[in-house]
Amino acid sequence: MDLLLRRLLHLKRYETPSLERITKNKHNIMRRVRDASHKSRWTLADLLELNIPWFFAEPRYGIAALFIVFAGLQFLGINSQKTEQNKVDFYISNRNLAAIESPVTFSTNHISYPKLPDNLQLFPYQQGNDQVKFVERVEEKK
Amino acid sequence: MLRIMVIDINLNAEKVSKEEVEPSDRELVLQSQKGDVQAFEQLVERYHRKIYGLTYNMTSNREDAEDLTQDVFVKAFEALPRFKGKSSFYTWIYRIAVNKTINYRKKRNRKRALSLDQFDQEIKTDDVYHDLTSKGSPLRNLSLSELQIKLNEALQSLSENHRIVVVMHDMQGIPHEKIAKVVGASVGTVRSRLFYARRQMQAELSEFIK
């Protein structure tokens, strides 16, 4: 039976298109090929169909693959958020960020005060008050 | 002994002269990749019949087969710059044809009416045809066109995966190993598909195959 079937199928080789149809088909192919050679631009659909033909041949597998990729990305996103929350970063910069020089402190008795610029007026002048007298300059201790 | 040697030399000479005249697929592919359309035209000439045969037997519709054959060659031309030559051009273009045909069939879900090419008159000189239509054969009273319709209907009753192996192996004479490369399955799978496909076709054609 198997042999008979194969002999029957062998006969299908004699089913051939007419020469005219073949010639016309070849001309159509070459016309399209010449057109394509002039505009060699790729669409995203072309690239996808050529690179991952199984995606289009079996759409259910394609959709399943997309779902897996989506789930994977979601999982990665959640994980990275968690690690961001748990992590404290320290940054060190060599640049002098402040315009004011860093405070150099010196101690008088026990209390430390920052050094102030010379031209900074701490108290307003008490003009017209003769009762205020200069008593003593306090020198800073070294 | 001497005679065999002479024949062998003649065959070799014929082979060499053929190689000199006709460039290999690889050479034509390289030229086509550089944009030589005429080189690609030679590849079309070389493989048109086979690709048409594949698409025609897969669809049993000559208009669809013509459209598909065009699409396959155009797609192959467009994809040529990325063809690295890991497989032969023959395997590569067959793979495109198989994918295109299966996609085409899936897009057109409804069953298409048969639109068949005529049998070449040479069939009448074929021994197989002679035997099948001789006295005592269940096919003797069947006309050629009836036989053709029955065969194509039986073929279309198969699933895509089963039909492709029958077409490639039993009609185009492609070995199992090459079919496996084209369809992306193991040789064992190809053999098994062929077995089940033949069994189903025998059931479809049971009135003739006894």
Side-chain angles (χ1 to χ4, degrees), chain A residues 9-38:
Chain A
L9 290 173
H10 163 85
L11 293 180
K12 262 185 99 8
R13 292 179 192 191
Y14 289 99
E15 264 179 65
T16 48
S18 65
L19 191 64
E20 190 189 340
R21 287 185 85 99
I22 293 176
T23 312
K24 195 179 167 189
N25 194 241
K26 283 179 189 169
H27 282 164
N28 285 339
I29 290 168
M30 289 318 296
R31 185 176 44 77
R32 284 180 63 187
V33 163
R34 284 191 188 93
D35 287 349
S37 72
H38 289 307

Side-chain angles (χ1 to χ4, degrees), chain B residues 55-72:
Chain B
T55 54
Y56 171 74
N57 286 311
M58 282 296 287
T59 57
S60 291
N61 185 299
R62 59 181 178 181
E63 286 81 17
D64 285 353
E66 282 171 358
D67 289 348
L68 275 167
T69 308
Q70 280 185 40
D71 288 350
V72 168

Side-chain angles (χ1 to χ4, degrees), chain A residues 7 14-15 21 25 42 57, chain B residues 56 78 106 120 126 131:
Chain A
R7 294 181 87 187
Y14 289 99
E15 264 179 65
R21 287 185 85 99
N25 194 241
W42 285 88
Chain B
Y56 171 74
E78 288 173 342
K106 279 190 191 299
D120 196 317
D126 193 294
D131 287 353

Side-chain angles (χ1 to χ4, degrees), chain B residues 169-184:
Chain B
H169 189 269
D170 289 347
M171 294 178 199
Q172 299 198 310
I174 300 170
H176 296 108
E177 291 75 19
K178 277 205 169 177
I179 298 173
K181 278 185 187 172
V182 170
V183 299

Side-chain angles (χ1 to χ4, degrees), chain B residues 128-161:
Chain B
V128 174
Y129 175 78
H130 212 69
D131 287 353
L132 290 170
T133 51
S134 63
K135 262 187 180 177
S137 165
L139 299 172
R140 68 182 183 280
N141 293 325
L142 208 64
S143 73
L144 211 52
S145 61
E146 280 173 324
L147 172 69
Q148 189 184 18
I149 289 168
K150 291 282 178 193
L151 268 175
N152 279 290
E153 280 175 349
L155 198 58
Q156 292 305 313
S157 71
L158 301 175
S159 74
E160 306 283 340
N161 285 336

